[in-house]
Amino acid sequence: MEKDLLIGDKSCVSYGSDSLLSPKSAQETSSLSSLFEGASAPPYELMNNGSIHKKQGSGKNGNNSVSGLLDQQPPQHLSDSNGLLTSEQEIKDAFLQYAATKFCYRTAPAKHLKVQKLTPLNTFRYRLETFTESRDTHLASECYYGGFVDSADVASPPTPWEISVDPPPLFTDCEMHIPMPHSYSLGNCQNCRGHGATTCQSCKGKGTKKCSACNQTGFNSSDYSSCSWCSGTGNKRCFSCRGNGRHMCYRCDWKGILLYHTELSITWKNNILEYTADNKSELPVHHLQEVTGRKILSDEYNLVHPIIEFPESSIKDYSRTSIAQHKMMFATGEHRILKQRQTVELVPLTKVKYEWKGKLYSFYVFGNENKVYSKDYPAKCYCSIL
């Protein structure tokens, strides 16, 4: 395809679709979005009545953004009426499966535990995804074997953002490299400086090297006979270049010239910021990254707005700061924001206090997957491997 661009009919070249917003349009969209005040997420009152609102997103390159919640009312934080409270049987099954996967854990406590108390500590997890596109150019080259050169004399080269390409699926990392049209030119090969060959570094271009057998004397030191390795010359042919003193230039294939062009590199990246509200538990927060929760809010736009009404104040604060941070990071000329998505999940988390052999212990069951974390499992076999 690249050769068709260089030598073939340039009118047949296609650079993709025009589905992306132009930089000017993206800037206008940003300006219009800044005129709206308040959050793009629904207020908490709408969450309580189970309403689901759909909002139309602007731009051609994305689906309609949906900002809504599940039909059920989101439970209050640390409330006994929490609808995500895991049942006792599910807790026992999860704890038994957890113990069975540990090499040195005996399963007796998990089979015969007596649950004393279940404490729901369900927590909120906020996630901001900013799908960006960045463009950069660099000089590239290839061997030239003759033919048409699409240089600036044919037409003025476009700017990086004037080239339209088909973007990947939203929120998917991807990279593409495209030769810039009308940016080709011929020039000397920098590797061989236009000579087509490079000097052999082993023999310094001489084609021969000092005979190590006779130390360049041409005679054997033992009987003063002629050296059989160099035939009495004191030098032998360089093995590296086979006596030529030069190496073929691999960059230009002995031609001495290269076809240079500007290469456009396009990078799509899904930039993520995530925050889990402090749940006042002893469960290390990084364990919550291993599980999924119940999505109670999803908001997708070209540019989302901070959440202004939510029962957890830290979620509102993090929404505001993370959106401002991404706006500052990707407001440069090399980047543009194609789409943003913010979600809030309610992550199930239950603290279990149980009795085993007259002593109290505890563990946590968390996530839709009912994963278990136990810091003080009571029955471990302390074995060592020699």
Side-chain angles (χ1 to χ4, degrees):
M1 180 178 179
E2 182 177 343
K3 188 170 292 186
D4 292 339
L5 173 65
L6 300 178
I7 303 176
D9 185 1
K10 59 182 181 299
S11 63
C12 297
V13 178
S14 175
Y15 296 101
S17 69
D18 57 353
S19 58
L20 293 180
L21 294 174
S22 66
K24 181 179 180 181
S25 300
Q27 184 177 3
E28 291 174 355
T29 303
S30 176
S31 300
L32 291 174
S33 301
S34 63
L35 297 177
F36 293 93
E37 296 181 356
S40 53
Y44 187 56
E45 286 75 8
L46 296 182
M47 295 165 59
N48 284 336
N49 61 28
S51 299
I52 297 179
H53 293 262
K54 295 184 178 181
K55 302 180 181 180
Q56 299 294 331
S58 60
K60 299 180 181 180
N61 62 322
N63 300 325
N64 292 339
S65 64
V66 178
S67 180
L69 310 174
L70 299 179
D71 292 335
Q72 70 282 353
Q73 174 181 345
Q76 294 291 333
H77 196 46
L78 305 182
S79 170
D80 290 336
S81 62
N82 196 325
L84 294 184
L85 180 61
T86 309
S87 69
E88 183 173 334
Q89 186 57 48
E90 289 176 329
I91 286 173
K92 289 182 177 180
D93 293 342
F95 198 40
L96 179 59
Q97 183 179 2
Y98 166 78
T101 59
K102 301 294 182 179
F103 179 74
C104 292
Y105 284 21
R106 296 195 292 270
T107 57
K111 290 180 179 179
H112 307 293
L113 66 94
K114 295 180 180 180
V115 176
Q116 299 296 319
K117 184 179 181 182
L118 301 179
T119 305
L121 300 172
N122 298 331
T123 185
F124 295 107
R125 178 168 59 202
Y126 174 85
R127 181 185 178 97
L128 174 66
E129 299 173 85
T130 300
F131 187 54
T132 61
E133 178 182 336
S134 61
R135 299 194 176 193
D136 189 21
T137 58
H138 64 276
L139 188 65
S141 63
E142 59 186 89
C143 293
Y144 178 67
Y145 299 100
F148 171 73
V149 177
D150 186 18
S151 66
D153 295 333
V154 177
S156 298
T159 62
W161 289 104
E162 288 178 336
I163 296 181
S164 296
V165 296
D166 295 323
L170 289 176
F171 307 106
T172 303
D173 291 348
C174 188
E175 190 170 329
M176 180 184 293
H177 301 278
I178 303 174
M180 294 281 286
H182 316 311
S183 67
Y184 292 85
S185 62
L186 295 175
N188 286 337
C189 174
Q190 298 299 317
N191 187 57
C192 65
R193 298 181 180 181
H195 298 298
T198 57
T199 302
C200 176
Q201 297 301 315
S202 180
C203 65
K204 306 302 180 183
K206 297 178 181 179
T208 59
K209 297 182 68 176
K210 175 181 176 181
C211 179
S212 57
C214 65
N215 198 23
Q216 210 172 10
T217 62
F219 300 96
N220 293 323
S221 59
S222 57
D223 55 4
Y224 295 101
S225 61
S226 177
C227 177
S228 60
W229 290 95
C230 61
S231 301
T233 62
N235 296 295
K236 59 181 181 179
R237 188 176 67 166
C238 177
F239 177 79
S240 178
C241 63
R242 299 183 178 182
N244 294 322
R246 306 170 74 191
H247 291 287
M248 181 184 75
C249 180
Y250 65 93
R251 286 293 295 116
C252 63
D253 196 19
W254 283 71
K255 302 296 186 297
I257 58 174
L258 289 173
L259 185 62
Y260 293 92
H261 71 272
T262 301
E263 187 88 350
L264 173 64
S265 297
I266 307 176
T267 303
W268 291 276
K269 184 173 178 59
N270 190 28
N271 305 272
I272 300 174
L273 289 176
E274 192 172 279
Y275 167 75
T276 302
D278 184 11
N279 50 43
K280 309 297 183 183
S281 72
E282 297 178 358
L283 174 70
V285 177
H286 69 270
H287 285 294
L288 294 177
Q289 298 175 356
E290 306 168 358
V291 297
T292 60
R294 180 180 299 177
K295 188 176 294 185
I296 62 173
L297 186 149
S298 181
D299 187 20
E300 183 176 314
Y301 268 103
N302 289 338
L303 292 173
V304 298
H305 305 292
I307 300 173
I308 59 174
E309 294 186 42
F310 202 80
E312 181 69 47
S313 61
S314 62
I315 294 293
K316 295 186 294 183
D317 296 338
Y318 194 80
S319 172
R320 182 178 64 257
T321 57
S322 59
I323 290 174
Q325 180 179 341
H326 271 191
K327 183 177 181 181
M328 180 180 62
M329 289 173 60
F330 306 119
T332 63
E334 296 180 357
H335 299 82
R336 66 171 174 173
I337 297 176
L338 301 183
K339 211 77 170 177
Q340 282 189 316
R341 178 170 62 193
Q342 61 179 346
T343 57
V344 178
E345 290 178 290
L346 184 61
V347 183
L349 173 60
T350 303
K351 183 176 182 180
V352 183
K353 285 189 177 181
Y354 68 99
E355 180 183 347
W356 168 252
K357 291 186 177 182
K359 294 184 178 181
L360 291 178
Y361 301 91
S362 65
F363 64 90
Y364 294 90
V365 180
F366 56 98
N368 293 334
E369 298 81 0
N370 283 342
K371 295 197 69 173
V372 172
Y373 170 78
S374 177
K375 187 177 181 180
D376 54 352
Y377 191 80
K380 299 178 183 179
C381 56
Y382 295 97
C383 56
S384 60
I385 301 177
L386 299 179

